[in-house]
C-alpha cells in the first residue's frame, strides 16, 4: 500500500499511484521445532516480507500466523508478549539495525530489562553473558556500534536477539553483507547457538551455498508464491521445479572455468503486474499453453517434497 514516502511525494506534487502488491500470496509455511528452514528466491520474491510476518514485526493483511499451534492474533497480555519475544529477527545490515547513539550494553540489555528478564542488580552480568554467547568481549560493552567491525556488529545484533531468550530466529540475509571469512564465523556461531540453545531458524538467503550448508529443509519462492519445498539434500540432488533447476544451474562451480554461466532467462516481472497462471511462465523453458492460464498447485512429488508445476500432472 502507499507508504509515507509516497504520500509525501504526492504532497510535493509528484504523480504517485496507489497500488497493492501481493508480496506474499497464498503461502503455507511450516517450521518445526529445532529445524533450520532455508527460504530462497531472487530479490523481490517476497521472502523478506514473509520473514517479517512470521517474526511478528510486520502485520499480514490476510491469513494467519500460528505460534506453537495458536493463532497469534488471538493472543493477549502475557501470552502475546511471550510469543513476540520468542520470535526474533536478525537483519542483513547490522549497522542500520543498531542505534548508533546507544552503547552496546544498552542495545543488548534494554529489551530484557523492559520485559523483566533481568533480576535487580543483574544488568551487567546478564549483558556480559549474552555478549560472550555471541562471541564478543564484554570489556567492550561501553562502546558504540561504529567502533566495531561489520562482523562484530552482526554479533551485537545476535547478542541483542539472544537477550530476550528466543526460541525461533529469522535470519534475513544475515551474512550477505560480510566478507567470506567472516561469513563462515557467523554461520558457525549460528550452528553452535542452535545446539546450545535448542534454537529453530528460518534462514532467508539468495546464496544457495549457504542454504545447502545450513538447512534441513529448503523452500523456494518465486514472485510471492512457494514453488517448491523439500529436504535440502533432495533439492540439491533432485530438484523438480524448472525455476529451482534454473537457480541451481546458475550457481558458479569450481572446475567449470570454461563454461559460460547459465542464467535464468529474462528479468523478474514486476510484482505490481505479475504474469497470469504460473508466474514463472514467461521465463520457463518448458512452459506450455496451460501455464499461461492456470495457477499450478503445490503437489507432493516425493517424500516431504512438494512442487508447483503443471508438468507433474503431465507425468
Ligand atoms: Fe514452467 Fe509451466 Fe511448470 Fe510453470 S507450470 S514451471 S511455466 S512448466
Amino acid at each position: 500500500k502507499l507508504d509515507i514516502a509516497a504520500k509525501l511525494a504526492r504532497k510535493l506534487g509528484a504523480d504517485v499511484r496507489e497500488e497493492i502488491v501481493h508480496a506474499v500470496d497464498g503461502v503455507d509455511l511450516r517450521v518445526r521445532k529445532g529445524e533450520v528452514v532455508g527460504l530462497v528466491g531472487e530479490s523481490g520474491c517476497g521472502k523478506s516480507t514473509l520473514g517479517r510476518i512470521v517474526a511478528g514485526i510486520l502485520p499480514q493483511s490476510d491469513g494467519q500466523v500460528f505460534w506453537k499451534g495458536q493463532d497469534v492474533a488471538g493472543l493477549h497480555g502475557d501470552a502475546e508478549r511471550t510469543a513476540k519475544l520468542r520470535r526474533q529477527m536478525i537483519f542483513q545490515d547490522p549497522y542500520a539495525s543498531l542505534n548508533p547513539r546507544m552503547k552496546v550494553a544498552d542495545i543488548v540489555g534494554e529489551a530484557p530489562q523492559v520485559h523483566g528478564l533481568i533480576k535487580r542488580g543483574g544488568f551487567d552480568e546478564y549483558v556480559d553473558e549474552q555478549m560472550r554467547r555471541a562471541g564478543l568481549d564484554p570489556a567492550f560493552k561501553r562502546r558504540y556500534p561504529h567502533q566495531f567491525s561489520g562482523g562484530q556488529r552482526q554479533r551485537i545484533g545476535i547478542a541483542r536477539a539472544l537477550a530476550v531468550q528466543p526460541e525461533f530466529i529469522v535470519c534475513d540475509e544475515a551474512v550477505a553483507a560480510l566478507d567470506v571469512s567472516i561469513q563462515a564465523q557467523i554461520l558457525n556461531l549460528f550452528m553452535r547457538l542452535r545446539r546450545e540453545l535448542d534454537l529453530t531458524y528460518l534462514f532467508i538467503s539468495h546464496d544457495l551455498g549457504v542454504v545447502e550448508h545450513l538447512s534441513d529443509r529448503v523452500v523456494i519462492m518465486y514472485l510471492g508464491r512457494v514453488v517448491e519445498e523439500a529436504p535440502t539434500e533432495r533439492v540439491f540432488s533432485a530438484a523438480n521445479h524448472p525455476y529451482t533447476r534454473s537457480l541451481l544451474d546458475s550457481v558458479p562451480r569450481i572446475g567449470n572455468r570454461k563454461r559460460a554461466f547459465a542464467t535464468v532467462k529474462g528479468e523478474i516481472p514486476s510484482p505490481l503486474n505479475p504474469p497470469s497462471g504460473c508466474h514463472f511462465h514467461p521465463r520457463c523453458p518448458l512452459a506450455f499453453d496451460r501455464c499461461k492460464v492456470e495457477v499450478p498447485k503445490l503437489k507432493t512429488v516425493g517424500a516431504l517434497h512438494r512442487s508447483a508445476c503443471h508438468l507433474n500432472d503431465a507425468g
Side-chain angles (χ1 to χ4, degrees), residues 131-160:
M131 288 184 71
R132 267 189 226 102
R133 267 196 181 137
L136 288 163
D137 185 344
F140 300 136
K141 68 184 171 194
R142 304 283 169 224
R143 294 190 179 180
Y144 291 92
H146 73 270
Q147 295 174 291
F148 292 84
S149 68
Q152 287 171 323
R153 287 199 288 256
Q154 192 55 292
R155 289 179 190 273
I156 297 170
I158 293 168
R160 177 179 58 182

Side-chain angles (χ1 to χ4, degrees), residues 97-123:
S97 68
L98 301 175
N99 186 337
R101 294 166 194 271
M102 286 173 77
K103 291 177 181 162
V104 173
D106 297 323
I107 290 172
V108 174
E110 184 184 49
Q113 188 166 55
V114 167
H115 292 288
L117 300 175
I118 302 179
K119 62 178 189 289
R120 192 182 288 268
F123 185 87

Side-chain angles (χ1 to χ4, degrees), residues 241-243 278-288 290-292 294 296 308-312:
H241 197 280
Y243 174 62
C278 172
H279 285 344
F280 188 52
H281 84 255
R283 305 173 76 192
C284 180
L286 303 172
F288 54 109
R290 184 180 170 197
C291 306
K292 294 180 190 162
E294 193 181 326
C309 175
H310 293 313
L311 284 173
N312 293 319

